[in-house]
Amino acid sequence: MIDFLAEDCKCCPIDNTFKIIGKKFTIHILRNMVILNQHRFNEFIDSIEGINPNTLSTRLKEMEKDGLIEKKIFNETPIRIEYNLTKKGKALQPILEEMAKFSTKFCCEDVFSDAKPRTFRQVYGNNLPIVD
């Protein structure tokens, strides 16, 4: 067994990350921000299957509190609100990509109608933002 919980660790780092992104729909919101370049409440509602406005509102508030996103309010009529990834939120992009790569390679029968594996770029293209 790996002794990764040194005296100065308060918890497992993997478990901590999962607590941040593992709530229902949080990963979908992140995915849509990173891959689909979505920033608005109605974009999320229209594209995340099964999410309702109350849950979306709760998740966005939690993500803002966790420092993954920031909310920008535009002084327009009607008021426009956009959500953008913070540096902390952008750091999750490689994790999302690796999750997608895993499924496109090892779970292709569940992901694709023809059950043939594909690369990440074949599925999502080359126009994803590069994380610094």
Side-chain angles (χ1 to χ4, degrees), residues 42 48 63 66 71 88 108:
N42 286 338
I48 299 174
M63 292 170 70
D66 288 336
K71 179 166 81 170
K88 182 177 179 180
C108 50

Side-chain angles (χ1 to χ4, degrees), residues 54-132:
N54 290 336
T55 302
L56 177 57
S57 181
T58 299
R59 290 298 170 264
L60 290 170
K61 287 176 187 172
E62 291 168 349
M63 292 170 70
E64 189 176 11
K65 181 180 174 230
D66 288 336
L68 300 178
I69 63 172
E70 50 193 11
K71 179 166 81 170
K72 184 173 183 182
I73 301 172
F74 294 85
N75 191 14
E76 301 173 350
T77 305
I79 291 177
R80 179 169 52 109
I81 300 173
E82 290 188 357
Y83 300 91
N84 292 292
L85 292 168
T86 62
K87 184 176 181 179
K88 182 177 179 180
K90 289 176 184 176
L92 292 167
Q93 180 177 336
I95 294 170
L96 297 175
E97 289 184 15
E98 289 304 315
M99 291 170 69
K101 287 176 185 178
F102 174 84
S103 283
T104 59
K105 183 175 182 178
F106 296 108
C107 306
C108 50
E109 64 280 354
D110 298 321
V111 176
F112 304 114
S113 55
D114 64 5
K116 293 180 181 174
R118 290 168 177 76
T119 67
F120 179 82
R121 293 295 172 202
Q122 285 175 313
V123 176
Y124 295 107
N126 292 319
N127 51 354
L128 289 179
I130 304 298
V131 176
D132 295 329

Side-chain angles (χ1 to χ4, degrees), residues 8 33 100 130:
D8 57 343
M33 292 181 87
I130 304 298

Side-chain angles (χ1 to χ4, degrees), residues 6-31:
E7 288 181 23
D8 57 343
C9 278
K10 295 187 334 185
C11 68
C12 169
I14 295 169
D15 186 51
N16 189 67
T17 302
F18 187 72
K19 285 178 184 174
I20 295 170
I21 66 172
K23 290 185 179 177
K24 191 171 185 178
F25 299 117
T26 299
I27 203 82
H28 299 90
I29 296 165
L30 289 168
R31 173 202 63 198

